[in-house]
DNA sequence: ACGATGATGAAC
DNA sequence: TTCATCATCGTA
């Protein structure tokens, strides 16, 4: 089973999308080569009131993709050198997105974009095969007991929002890191 | 523990 | 126009 996720997957509440992205595959096609990576760690950024979100101070040129329809990429430069990859979620007009913080064998949001050669050229583009970057369901089921939650990384300035457990990760991430076949999932 | 490195947004 | 800040990482 190999099915590219459609907009209806991303149009759901942001926390649900974040949780369900674990165990899906981030797929990159570039220069005739296609690579797929198991998604192992994500963070949700949910609405205007979320003080950790770029959308907290309203719509700007940078965060405009977050306010648009779900299933598009929101990519921006952080600390002057790192690209951050997010996928827009929720209804159109509601600013929300999920940050891809880790994939199998690649730990950390800046390393993910570096490994997959992602930069602003994909920003605001739809997550479909045609754009060269999309997400696939490959039939794995990730049960709740294999998922960990924690506060988000690097958002200590966000007050009570910094403490919300909006980060989701696969508990056996370390196994994946060492290149060992992961056992977190069960074939459908 | 800290410097790299530049876009962003808010203040002036 | 200036300035502080920043959804991080590599080196020490």
């Amino acid at each position: 089973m190999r099915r590219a996720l459609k907009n209806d997957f991303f149009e759901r509440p942001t926390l649900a999308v974040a949780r369900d992205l674990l165990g899906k595959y981030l797929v990159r096609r570039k220069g005739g080569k296609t690579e797929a990576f198991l998604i192992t760690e994500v963070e949700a950024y949910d609405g205007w009131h979320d003080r950790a979100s770029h959308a907290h101070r309203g719509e700007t040129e940078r965060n405009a993709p977050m306010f648009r329809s779900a299933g598009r990429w929101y990519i921006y430069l952080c600390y002057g050198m790192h690209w951050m990859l997010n996928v827009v979620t929720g209804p159109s007009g509601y600013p929300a997105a999920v940050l891809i913080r880790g994939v199998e064998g690649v730990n950390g949001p800046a390393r993910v974009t570096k490994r997959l050669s992602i930069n602003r050229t994909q920003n605001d583009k739809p997550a479909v095969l045609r754009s060269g970057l999309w997400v696939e369901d490959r039939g794995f089921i990730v049960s709740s007991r294999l998922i960990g939650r924690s506060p988000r990384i690097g958002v200590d300035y966000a007050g009570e929002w910094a403490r919300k457990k909006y980060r989701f990760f696969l508990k056996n991430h370390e196994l994946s890191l060492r290149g060992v076949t992961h056992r977190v999932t069960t074939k459908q």
Side-chain angles (χ1 to χ4, degrees):
Chain A
M1 181 201 181
R2 185 174 294 193
R3 181 181 66 91
L5 297 183
K6 310 287 256 184
N7 287 349
D8 61 344
F9 176 90
F10 300 103
E11 282 162 3
R12 299 175 302 138
T14 309
L15 290 173
V17 174
R19 184 251 180 257
D20 292 343
L21 276 173
L22 297 178
K24 300 297 190 294
Y25 278 79
L26 179 63
V27 190
R28 177 73 164 126
R29 189 182 65 186
K30 194 169 188 285
K33 189 172 79 171
T34 302
E35 290 184 290
F37 301 80
L38 183 79
I39 297 173
T40 57
E41 181 185 352
V42 296
E43 279 177 359
Y45 289 84
D46 189 19
W48 306 272
H49 41 284
D50 181 355
R51 278 188 60 195
S53 171
H54 288 169
H56 179 245
R57 280 184 277 243
E59 185 172 350
T60 66
E61 188 176 356
R62 178 178 65 167
N63 66 26
M66 293 185 76
F67 289 76
R68 302 201 174 110
S69 60
R72 72 184 61 233
W73 299 112
Y74 169 44
I75 301 168
Y76 66 92
L77 189 65
C78 186
Y79 298 112
M81 56 193 113
H82 304 307
W83 294 104
M84 301 287 112
L85 174 66
N86 303 253
V87 61
V88 175
T89 61
S92 188
Y94 181 83
V98 174
L99 170 67
I100 311 292
R101 286 194 59 89
V103 299
E104 189 167 15
V106 187
N107 220 352
R111 291 175 180 165
V112 169
T113 53
K114 185 179 178 187
R115 175 65 182 81
L116 304 199
S117 303
I118 291 165
N119 55 43
R120 65 157 47 94
T121 62
Q122 302 287 340
N123 186 37
D124 209 27
K125 296 234 173 5
V128 296
L129 190 147
R130 189 175 64 256
S131 72
L133 185 64
W134 68 99
V135 184
E136 282 181 6
D137 179 355
R138 295 196 165 185
F140 292 111
I141 302 294
V142 179
S143 72
S144 313
R145 71 187 169 79
L146 297 174
I147 294 179
R149 292 184 64 168
S150 83
R152 291 169 292 186
I153 306 298
V155 297
D156 293 344
Y157 56 84
E160 61 178 307
W161 291 90
R163 293 189 288 276
K164 292 184 183 294
K165 294 186 175 180
Y166 280 11
R167 173 172 172 253
F168 299 78
F169 55 93
L170 290 182
K171 284 180 179 173
N172 78 331
H173 189 191
E174 285 161 357
L175 284 180
S176 300
L177 265 183
R178 295 182 193 126
V180 177
T181 304
H182 51 84
R183 296 173 296 155
V184 290
T185 52
T186 311
K187 281 279 189 179
Q188 204 168 19

